[in-house]
Short mmCIF file of all heavy atoms in Angstrom, two decimals:
data_model
loop_
_atom_site.label_atom_id
_atom_site.label_comp_id
_atom_site.label_asym_id
_atom_site.label_seq_id
_atom_site.Cartn_x
_atom_site.Cartn_y
_atom_site.Cartn_z
N HIS O 88 115.05 122.03 86.06
CA HIS O 88 114.92 123.48 85.94
C HIS O 88 114.76 123.95 84.50
O HIS O 88 114.34 125.08 84.27
CB HIS O 88 116.13 124.18 86.59
CG HIS O 88 116.21 123.93 88.07
ND1 HIS O 88 117.18 123.13 88.63
CD2 HIS O 88 115.42 124.34 89.09
CE1 HIS O 88 116.99 123.07 89.94
NE2 HIS O 88 115.93 123.79 90.25
N HIS O 89 115.13 123.08 83.54
CA HIS O 89 115.11 123.51 82.13
C HIS O 89 113.90 123.00 81.35
O HIS O 89 113.83 123.21 80.15
CB HIS O 89 116.37 123.00 81.42
CG HIS O 89 117.61 123.75 81.77
ND1 HIS O 89 118.16 124.71 80.95
CD2 HIS O 89 118.42 123.68 82.85
CE1 HIS O 89 119.25 125.20 81.51
NE2 HIS O 89 119.43 124.59 82.67
N TYR O 90 112.98 122.29 82.04
CA TYR O 90 111.95 121.59 81.25
C TYR O 90 111.10 122.50 80.35
O TYR O 90 110.74 122.07 79.24
CB TYR O 90 111.07 120.69 82.16
CG TYR O 90 110.14 121.45 83.08
CD1 TYR O 90 108.86 121.79 82.65
CD2 TYR O 90 110.55 121.84 84.35
CE1 TYR O 90 108.02 122.52 83.47
CE2 TYR O 90 109.71 122.56 85.16
CZ TYR O 90 108.45 122.90 84.73
OH TYR O 90 107.63 123.64 85.52
N PRO O 91 110.79 123.74 80.74
CA PRO O 91 109.96 124.53 79.81
C PRO O 91 110.66 124.76 78.47
O PRO O 91 110.06 124.63 77.40
CB PRO O 91 109.72 125.84 80.55
CG PRO O 91 109.92 125.51 82.00
CD PRO O 91 111.02 124.49 82.00
N GLU O 92 111.95 125.06 78.55
CA GLU O 92 112.74 125.29 77.34
C GLU O 92 112.88 124.00 76.52
O GLU O 92 112.78 124.00 75.28
CB GLU O 92 114.10 125.86 77.81
CG GLU O 92 115.28 125.58 76.98
CD GLU O 92 116.62 125.92 77.73
OE1 GLU O 92 116.61 126.31 78.93
OE2 GLU O 92 117.66 125.79 77.08
N ASP O 93 113.07 122.88 77.20
CA ASP O 93 113.26 121.61 76.49
C ASP O 93 111.97 121.14 75.83
O ASP O 93 111.98 120.66 74.70
CB ASP O 93 113.81 120.54 77.45
CG ASP O 93 115.21 120.89 77.96
OD1 ASP O 93 115.89 121.71 77.29
OD2 ASP O 93 115.62 120.38 79.01
N ILE O 94 110.87 121.28 76.52
CA ILE O 94 109.60 120.84 75.94
C ILE O 94 109.21 121.73 74.76
O ILE O 94 108.64 121.27 73.77
CB ILE O 94 108.52 120.76 77.04
CG1 ILE O 94 108.87 119.57 77.93
CG2 ILE O 94 107.12 120.59 76.45
CD1 ILE O 94 108.09 119.44 79.16
N LYS O 95 109.58 122.98 74.87
CA LYS O 95 109.35 123.89 73.74
C LYS O 95 110.10 123.40 72.50
O LYS O 95 109.57 123.42 71.38
CB LYS O 95 109.82 125.30 74.13
CG LYS O 95 109.39 126.37 73.20
CD LYS O 95 109.52 127.75 73.82
CE LYS O 95 109.07 128.77 72.80
NZ LYS O 95 110.06 129.80 72.54
N LEU O 96 111.31 122.91 72.71
CA LEU O 96 112.08 122.36 71.58
C LEU O 96 111.45 121.08 71.04
O LEU O 96 111.40 120.85 69.83
CB LEU O 96 113.54 122.10 72.00
CG LEU O 96 114.40 123.34 72.22
CD1 LEU O 96 115.71 122.98 72.95
CD2 LEU O 96 114.72 124.03 70.89
N PHE O 97 110.92 120.24 71.93
CA PHE O 97 110.23 119.02 71.47
C PHE O 97 109.00 119.43 70.63
O PHE O 97 108.72 118.82 69.59
CB PHE O 97 109.76 118.15 72.64
CG PHE O 97 110.86 117.65 73.55
CD1 PHE O 97 110.59 117.35 74.88
CD2 PHE O 97 112.15 117.46 73.08
CE1 PHE O 97 111.59 116.88 75.73
CE2 PHE O 97 113.16 116.99 73.92
CZ PHE O 97 112.88 116.71 75.26
N ALA O 98 108.31 120.45 71.10
CA ALA O 98 107.12 120.92 70.38
C ALA O 98 107.52 121.44 69.00
O ALA O 98 106.82 121.22 68.01
CB ALA O 98 106.42 122.00 71.18
N GLU O 99 108.66 122.11 68.94
CA GLU O 99 109.13 122.63 67.65
C GLU O 99 109.42 121.49 66.67
O GLU O 99 109.21 121.63 65.47
CB GLU O 99 110.39 123.47 67.90
CG GLU O 99 110.78 124.35 66.73
CD GLU O 99 112.08 125.11 66.99
OE1 GLU O 99 112.34 125.51 68.15
OE2 GLU O 99 112.84 125.29 66.03
N MET O 100 109.87 120.36 67.19
CA MET O 100 110.08 119.19 66.32
C MET O 100 108.75 118.55 65.92
O MET O 100 108.71 117.71 65.04
CB MET O 100 110.95 118.14 67.03
CG MET O 100 112.42 118.29 66.77
SD MET O 100 113.39 116.91 67.48
CE MET O 100 113.45 117.38 69.20
N GLY O 101 107.70 118.91 66.64
CA GLY O 101 106.38 118.37 66.29
C GLY O 101 105.95 117.16 67.10
O GLY O 101 105.01 116.46 66.73
N PHE O 102 106.63 116.91 68.23
CA PHE O 102 106.29 115.74 69.05
C PHE O 102 104.80 115.66 69.34
O PHE O 102 104.17 116.66 69.71
CB PHE O 102 107.02 115.79 70.41
CG PHE O 102 108.45 115.33 70.39
CD1 PHE O 102 109.20 115.34 69.21
CD2 PHE O 102 109.06 114.90 71.56
CE1 PHE O 102 110.53 114.93 69.22
CE2 PHE O 102 110.39 114.49 71.57
CZ PHE O 102 111.12 114.50 70.40
N LYS O 103 104.25 114.46 69.17
CA LYS O 103 102.86 114.19 69.59
C LYS O 103 102.84 113.63 71.00
O LYS O 103 101.81 113.64 71.67
CB LYS O 103 102.20 113.17 68.66
CG LYS O 103 102.41 113.41 67.19
CD LYS O 103 101.47 114.48 66.68
CE LYS O 103 101.64 114.68 65.19
NZ LYS O 103 101.62 116.10 64.83
N CYS O 104 103.97 113.04 71.40
CA CYS O 104 104.04 112.47 72.74
C CYS O 104 105.46 112.61 73.28
O CYS O 104 106.40 112.88 72.53
CB CYS O 104 103.61 111.00 72.74
SG CYS O 104 104.82 109.87 72.05
N PHE O 105 105.57 112.45 74.58
CA PHE O 105 106.87 112.52 75.24
C PHE O 105 106.90 111.46 76.33
O PHE O 105 106.09 111.48 77.25
CB PHE O 105 107.08 113.92 75.85
CG PHE O 105 108.30 114.06 76.71
CD1 PHE O 105 109.56 113.68 76.25
CD2 PHE O 105 108.21 114.59 78.00
CE1 PHE O 105 110.69 113.81 77.05
CE2 PHE O 105 109.33 114.74 78.80
CZ PHE O 105 110.58 114.35 78.32
N ARG O 106 107.83 110.52 76.17
CA ARG O 106 107.94 109.47 77.18
C ARG O 106 108.99 109.83 78.22
O ARG O 106 110.15 110.06 77.89
CB ARG O 106 108.33 108.13 76.54
CG ARG O 106 108.58 107.06 77.57
CD ARG O 106 109.06 105.74 76.99
NE ARG O 106 109.31 104.82 78.10
CZ ARG O 106 110.41 104.09 78.26
NH1 ARG O 106 111.37 104.12 77.36
NH2 ARG O 106 110.55 103.33 79.31
N THR O 107 108.57 109.88 79.48
CA THR O 107 109.51 110.02 80.57
C THR O 107 109.01 109.15 81.71
O THR O 107 108.02 108.43 81.57
CB THR O 107 109.69 111.50 81.00
OG1 THR O 107 110.75 111.58 81.96
CG2 THR O 107 108.44 112.11 81.59
N SER O 108 109.72 109.18 82.85
CA SER O 108 109.26 108.42 84.00
C SER O 108 108.98 109.38 85.15
O SER O 108 109.43 110.53 85.12
CB SER O 108 110.31 107.38 84.43
OG SER O 108 111.54 108.02 84.73
N ILE O 109 108.23 108.90 86.10
CA ILE O 109 108.06 109.65 87.36
C ILE O 109 109.09 109.07 88.32
O ILE O 109 109.10 107.86 88.56
CB ILE O 109 106.63 109.48 87.92
CG1 ILE O 109 105.61 110.13 86.97
CG2 ILE O 109 106.53 110.07 89.32
CD1 ILE O 109 104.16 109.97 87.40
N ALA O 110 109.98 109.93 88.82
CA ALA O 110 110.99 109.44 89.76
C ALA O 110 110.28 109.04 91.05
O ALA O 110 109.77 109.91 91.79
CB ALA O 110 112.04 110.51 90.01
N TRP O 111 110.23 107.76 91.29
CA TRP O 111 109.54 107.20 92.47
C TRP O 111 109.98 107.95 93.75
O TRP O 111 109.14 108.31 94.58
CB TRP O 111 109.88 105.71 92.52
CG TRP O 111 109.20 104.84 93.51
CD1 TRP O 111 108.40 105.22 94.55
CD2 TRP O 111 109.27 103.40 93.56
NE1 TRP O 111 107.98 104.10 95.24
CE2 TRP O 111 108.49 102.97 94.65
CE3 TRP O 111 109.92 102.43 92.80
CZ2 TRP O 111 108.36 101.63 94.99
CZ3 TRP O 111 109.77 101.08 93.13
CH2 TRP O 111 109.00 100.70 94.22
N ALA O 112 111.29 108.23 93.88
CA ALA O 112 111.81 108.85 95.10
C ALA O 112 111.48 110.35 95.21
O ALA O 112 111.78 110.98 96.23
CB ALA O 112 113.32 108.64 95.20
N ARG O 113 110.90 110.95 94.16
CA ARG O 113 110.35 112.30 94.35
C ARG O 113 109.00 112.23 95.06
O ARG O 113 108.62 113.13 95.78
CB ARG O 113 110.12 113.01 93.00
CG ARG O 113 111.36 113.56 92.39
CD ARG O 113 111.07 114.65 91.37
NE ARG O 113 112.30 114.86 90.62
CZ ARG O 113 113.37 115.51 91.10
NH1 ARG O 113 113.34 116.08 92.29
NH2 ARG O 113 114.47 115.61 90.38
N ILE O 114 108.26 111.15 94.78
CA ILE O 114 106.91 111.01 95.33
C ILE O 114 106.95 110.34 96.70
O ILE O 114 106.28 110.76 97.64
CB ILE O 114 106.01 110.19 94.36
CG1 ILE O 114 106.18 110.68 92.90
CG2 ILE O 114 104.55 110.21 94.79
CD1 ILE O 114 105.88 112.15 92.66
N PHE O 115 107.78 109.31 96.81
CA PHE O 115 108.02 108.64 98.09
C PHE O 115 109.53 108.60 98.30
O PHE O 115 110.20 107.67 97.83
CB PHE O 115 107.40 107.24 98.10
CG PHE O 115 105.90 107.26 98.12
CD1 PHE O 115 105.17 107.14 96.94
CD2 PHE O 115 105.20 107.46 99.31
CE1 PHE O 115 103.78 107.19 96.95
CE2 PHE O 115 103.81 107.51 99.33
CZ PHE O 115 103.09 107.38 98.15
N PRO O 116 110.08 109.61 99.00
CA PRO O 116 111.54 109.74 99.11
C PRO O 116 112.23 108.49 99.66
O PRO O 116 113.36 108.19 99.26
CB PRO O 116 111.71 110.93 100.06
CG PRO O 116 110.44 111.73 99.89
CD PRO O 116 109.35 110.73 99.60
N ARG O 117 111.56 107.76 100.56
CA ARG O 117 112.14 106.53 101.08
C ARG O 117 111.45 105.30 100.49
O ARG O 117 111.96 104.19 100.57
CB ARG O 117 112.03 106.50 102.61
CG ARG O 117 112.87 107.58 103.28
CD ARG O 117 112.42 107.86 104.70
NE ARG O 117 112.70 106.77 105.63
CZ ARG O 117 113.87 106.56 106.22
NH1 ARG O 117 114.87 107.38 105.99
NH2 ARG O 117 114.04 105.55 107.04
#
Side-chain angles (χ1 to χ4, degrees):
H88 296 109
H89 285 259
Y90 71 89
E92 150 193 4
D93 295 340
I94 289 171
K95 192 163 180 235
L96 288 167
F97 300 154
E99 195 183 326
M100 268 187 282
F102 279 22
K103 314 280 183 222
C104 75
F105 172 52
R106 174 184 178 229
T107 187
S108 58
I109 294 178
W111 187 351
R113 282 201 194 285
I114 313 303
F115 290 96
R117 294 161 70 82

